[in-house]
Amino acid sequence: MANKLKRDQLPAEKAKNWKKNFKEETEKTFNLKLTPIILQKETYKSLIGENENRVRVYLGLEPEKDGDKYVLCAYAVSSFLLGSGDVYADYETPVYKLSDVNKDFSDKTDTVIESIRLYRKWRDGEIDQEDAGAAFRQYIYPNAYLLTKFELHELFNSQNNERIKIEFGIQKTMDVMISAVVDQTIKSADDGDEGAEEFNNTGLCPPYCDERSIYNS
């Protein structure tokens, strides 16, 4: 019997597949250089405070290129629950750069903001526009990640790790597009009909499944 997964834990095969997908994407749309992104326990303790706030990690780019590639970097801030909903608001400081050794950038917030803006220009396809994959980056790469307190508590407190690494994977999911049938022919942009209307307002299953349905047993 397989070991029961902990909260927020990825099954090993899924993690392996996500990493494989990301590696494949480096040949298509991801043309940045990766450097180690490490979150230290000392930094974690500083960010969560007494209320065990969540940690939001923003992606950025170094101002200087390494050869012909920009270098990806990351910054962490404390994010607290705003009201009774699921909205998490960021504290402006402290903010840490998550390199191999975490650095307090609280007195360099302008530098952090410029770094994040540069990454978003890359994400939006404004950088390296001649790259065939530039136009698709906005659909693949996010601006930031909101880390849960459960996974961080497990790694830092339960397992007593001093450092954890942040790396990347890509989950590929087939989705549906709905369009009209005209003269028994499905019209779409791929058919040369750029005026075709295509819709997507569906919920994937999982996670949005009817657990009681006999077709989902």
Side-chain angles (χ1 to χ4, degrees):
M1 181 181 294
N3 293 332
K4 184 178 180 180
L5 295 175
K6 298 175 182 177
R7 183 164 184 170
D8 296 328
Q9 183 181 2
L10 275 173
E13 284 302 313
K14 180 179 283 189
K16 182 178 179 181
N17 187 58
W18 285 16
K19 291 176 184 178
K20 175 178 174 289
N21 291 341
F22 180 77
K23 186 176 181 181
E24 291 177 353
E25 202 63 39
T26 59
E27 301 174 0
K28 300 173 183 176
T29 61
F30 190 88
N31 62 353
L32 306 178
K33 181 178 179 180
L34 287 171
T35 56
I37 299 176
I38 302 295
L39 177 61
Q40 296 173 270
K41 190 172 186 176
E42 183 179 349
T43 303
Y44 160 72
K45 292 292 187 183
S46 176
L47 291 173
I48 65 169
E50 296 180 356
N51 298 320
E52 283 201 78
N53 294 315
R54 290 195 178 193
V55 174
R56 197 186 310 272
V57 175
Y58 285 96
L59 298 179
L61 295 185
E62 299 285 6
E64 302 295 331
K65 298 174 72 173
D66 185 345
D68 61 344
K69 288 189 175 184
Y70 280 97
V71 180
L72 188 72
C73 58
Y75 303 90
V77 295
S78 178
S79 191
F80 63 97
L81 183 61
L82 186 66
S84 59
D86 291 326
V87 177
Y88 287 84
D90 297 338
Y91 285 106
E92 293 183 5
T93 58
V95 54
Y96 289 87
K97 187 174 184 179
L98 304 183
S99 50
D100 192 49
V101 176
N102 295 173
K103 299 177 181 178
D104 190 345
F105 266 55
S106 299
D107 60 349
K108 300 177 182 178
T109 53
D110 288 344
T111 300
V112 175
I113 292 170
E114 285 304 313
S115 175
I116 293 172
R117 286 176 177 170
L118 185 59
Y119 166 78
R120 292 185 178 182
K121 286 183 179 180
W122 173 85
R123 178 183 177 273
D124 292 341
E126 297 178 23
I127 293 178
D128 301 329
Q129 294 184 26
E130 68 281 359
D131 190 299
F136 303 100
R137 295 173 189 155
Q138 60 184 308
Y139 306 111
I140 302 173
Y141 306 103
N143 290 321
Y145 299 91
L146 183 63
L147 307 184
T148 74
K149 61 182 181 181
F150 302 105
E151 59 195 357
L152 295 177
H153 180 89
E154 170 66 26
L155 290 166
F156 282 121
N157 298 330
S158 299
Q159 298 182 15
N160 202 30
N161 292 294
E162 291 298 321
R163 292 153 53 92
I164 64 172
K165 65 179 178 179
I166 297 174
E167 51 187 336
F168 303 103
I170 290 177
Q171 177 181 197
K172 293 184 179 179
T173 304
M174 183 173 71
D175 213 328
V176 68
M177 297 182 293
I178 305 169
S179 56
V181 176
V182 181
D183 298 329
Q184 304 303 312
T185 302
I186 298 176
K187 296 293 186 180
S188 69
D190 285 345
D191 297 325
D193 185 359
E194 296 184 0
E197 293 181 335
E198 293 173 318
F199 300 87
N200 172 272
N201 192 29
T202 61
L204 300 176
C205 176
Y208 306 107
C209 304
D210 181 0
E211 301 293 343
R212 300 161 297 179
S213 172
I214 62 171
Y215 305 108
N216 191 42
S217 60

